[in-house]
Structures are given as structure tokens and as C-alpha cells.
DNA sequence: TACCAGGTCCTCG
DNA sequence: CGAGGACATGGT
């Protein structure tokens, strides 16, 4: 078994399944980890959430999900209709709220103009075309696009975020660019949406509490695979 | 107080 | 291309 796969098994054994992506169940305002989206409203939540979480703690993004639920704003046409300033105020606690208000509007404009406002039409594209389409939206970069593909469309692609990059580099891999890191993971794993979903979530769990900027290597379940740890 | 958190865009060599 | 700056709130 290759090292990338061994690391996954070790993390899964240590932390258990993560039940990503968090979405809001009917009747609630707060999203929960219940195994990902099961309808189009929840899929839209994943899309908005992946934009709102850009370079921000999930806690801050989550506050905004709650606010958007209260205002019934998981609705493409309503996002287009509401004023940018008003939307920015509502999503304030996610940080970069002025930019993110525009990004949400850009995404909804794109969806309405090209796909009749329907995610299920957008998601009918194959992965390569879907990614290309998402990247054409100003405000959606590679990580956000891949998060939407994996967690909203539930198609197999590996998401690289700051945690994945930091952990891979500490493990000893030299890759720096997004696509190089993505290839590293995808070439060493079976092409499985379920696996990519869990693995990325597990990397977040490790990166958040253990493999931090100042890492707590003593607590790390994969330190025996880690060149950073070995070199200390 | 300073630093960090589930990035992306724009500008400039 | 790649580096560097701007964007901003909330938690420790």
C-alpha cells in the first residue's frame, strides 16, 4: 500500500468518518454533519458555503449559513434581486463580506443565465466541463470549484486546501502548485467520491487541531509517516 | 496584541 | 508564469 493511502487509513481509524459536507436539515437554521446534501437546496448551501468559507474559519462561515436560512436566501433569484450592500451586511461575519456578496451574486447570475438557475442541469456536465464552467465564474477558484464538484455534485475529484498542502509538504512531498498536489493524491488513490470526501475532511480535522502552523506532533496519529517529525 | 482561519483576484515584473 | 498585496470578521 502506498504512503498516501496508508495515511488515509490511519486517519480514518483515528478520527472515524466525518459525515461531510455540513448542511441544514429541514426545520433548522444550523447546518450539521449529516452526510452531505440530499436535495437541491442543500446542494446550493454547499456551493454558497464553499464560497463563504474562503480563507475563513468554518465557524464564521456557519454563522452566515444561519443568517441566510433566517432570511430564506438559499434561492438563486433572491440573491440576484437583493442589493449587494444589504447582502454584504447579512453575510458580514464570514469576513471579506463585500467581495463575497459579489461572488455569490456572480455565481447565481451564472447559474440563472446558463442553467436556468438549476444546479442539477449544471451538474449534468462531466467533471472536466463542470470544473471549467465553475472556474469561469469570478470568485470561484480551483479549491472552491473542486469543493462544489466533490461535495455538492458528488463527483470524484480531490480538494486541495491549505491543510492538505501543509500536511503533504510536512509528510515530505515537494509539490507546491494546486494541480500538482491534486495529482499526487488522485494518482495514489482509487477514483472514489466517497474516499475523496472522507480524506479531505480528515485532513481538515488533522490540520485544524494537530498539524497546525505550530504543529502538535506528539498527538499526531501519522507522525511515523512524517519527514518533518522525523527531522526534529 | 498579534496571529490565524476549509482562497481568489488583480497587478506587476 | 510567480510573487505580492488587498480583501475583513471573529476567536485565542
Amino acid at each position: 500500500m502506498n504512503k498516501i493511502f496508508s495515511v488515509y487509513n490511519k486517519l480514518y481509524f483515528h478520527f472515524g468518518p466525518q459525515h461531510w459536507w455540513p448542511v441544514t436539515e429541514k426545520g433548522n437554521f444550523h447546518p450539521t454533519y449529516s452526510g452531505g446534501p440530499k436535495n437541491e437546496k442543500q446542494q446550493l448551501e454547499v456551493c454558497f458555503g464553499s464560497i463563504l468559507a474562503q480563507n475563513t474559519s468554518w465557524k464564521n462561515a456557519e454563522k452566515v449559513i444561519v443568517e441566510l436560512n433566517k432570511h430564506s436566501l438559499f434561492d438563486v433569484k433572491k440573491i440576484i434581486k437583493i442589493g449587494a450592500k444589504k447582502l454584504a451586511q447579512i453575510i458580514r461575519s464570514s469576513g471579506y463580506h463585500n467581495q463575497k456578496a459579489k461572488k455569490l451574486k456572480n455565481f447565481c447570475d451564472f447559474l440563472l443565465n446558463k442553467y436556468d438557475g438549476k444546479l442539477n442541469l449544471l451538474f449534468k456536465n462531466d467533471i472536466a466541463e463542470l470544473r471549467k464552467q465553475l472556474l469561469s465564474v469570478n470568485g470561484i477558484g480551483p479549491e472552491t470549484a473542486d469543493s462544489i464538484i466533490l461535495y455538492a455534485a458528488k463527483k470524484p475529484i480531490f480538494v486541495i486546501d491549505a491543510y492538505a498542502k501543509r500536511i503533504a509538504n510536512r509528510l515530505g512531498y515537494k509539490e507546491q502548485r494546486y494541480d500538482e498536489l491534486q495529482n499526487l493524491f488522485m494518482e495514489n488513490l482509487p477514483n472514489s467520491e466517497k474516499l475523496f470526501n472522507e480524506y479531505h475532511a480528515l485532513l481538515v480535522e488533522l490540520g485544524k487541531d494537530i498539524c497546525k502552523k505550530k504543529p502538535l506532533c506528539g498527538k499526531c496519529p501519522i507522525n511515523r509517516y512524517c519527514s518533518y517529525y522525523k527531522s526534529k
Side-chain angles (χ1 to χ4, degrees), chain A residues 40 44 76-77 80 108-122:
Chain A
E40 196 151 349
L44 193 60
V76 172
K77 290 181 181 170
I80 292 172
C108 289
D109 285 338
F110 157 82
L111 209 51
L112 188 61
N113 293 334
K114 287 199 168 174
Y115 293 95
D116 193 29
K118 294 181 169 61
L119 280 176
N120 58 14
L121 292 183
L122 170 63

Side-chain angles (χ1 to χ4, degrees), chain A residues 21-179:
Chain A
W21 179 291
V23 290
T24 306
E25 301 295 329
K26 200 166 175 54
N28 294 331
F29 287 139
H30 282 83
T32 53
Y33 291 85
S34 52
K38 293 170 192 63
N39 54 56
E40 196 151 349
K41 188 267 182 182
Q42 292 181 334
Q43 288 181 307
L44 193 60
E45 254 191 66
V46 176
C47 297
F48 285 12
S50 63
I51 290 172
L52 293 168
Q54 287 172 1
N55 204 41
T56 306
S57 68
W58 174 252
K59 276 287 165 209
N60 283 1
E62 191 183 45
K63 291 181 204 299
V64 173
I65 304 286
V66 173
E67 287 308 305
L68 291 175
N69 274 325
K70 287 181 182 168
H71 292 260
S72 301
L73 280 171
F74 286 106
D75 179 314
V76 172
K77 290 181 181 170
K78 286 186 183 173
I79 292 292
I80 292 172
K81 201 177 299 174
I82 192 174
K85 292 211 100 170
K86 189 171 179 189
L87 180 57
Q89 273 314 109
I90 293 170
I91 68 169
R92 188 172 178 280
S93 56
S94 66
Y96 308 127
H97 50 286
N98 296 311
Q99 285 200 347
K100 285 175 181 174
K102 287 181 193 161
K103 292 179 180 184
L104 291 177
K105 281 177 154 293
N106 289 343
F107 176 64
C108 289
D109 285 338
F110 157 82
L111 209 51
L112 188 61
N113 293 334
K114 287 199 168 174
Y115 293 95
D116 193 29
K118 294 181 169 61
L119 280 176
N120 58 14
L121 292 183
L122 170 63
F123 293 164
K124 283 196 201 308
N125 287 298
D126 62 42
I127 294 181
E129 178 62 19
L130 174 54
R131 192 169 199 269
K132 190 176 147 197
Q133 292 281 312
L134 289 168
L135 289 175
S136 76
V137 178
N138 187 301
I140 297 185
E143 183 186 334
T144 306
D146 290 341
S147 294
I148 291 172
I149 295 168
L150 179 64
Y151 290 111
K154 292 177 177 287
K155 294 171 191 275
I157 198 160
F158 203 93
V159 177
I160 301 298
D161 61 3
Y163 295 136
K165 179 175 182 185
R166 182 164 74 215
I167 293 166
N169 289 154
R170 283 190 177 144
L171 284 172
Y173 298 102
K174 302 298 178 214
E175 287 81 352
Q176 297 294 317
R177 288 202 337 262
Y178 188 97
D179 57 311

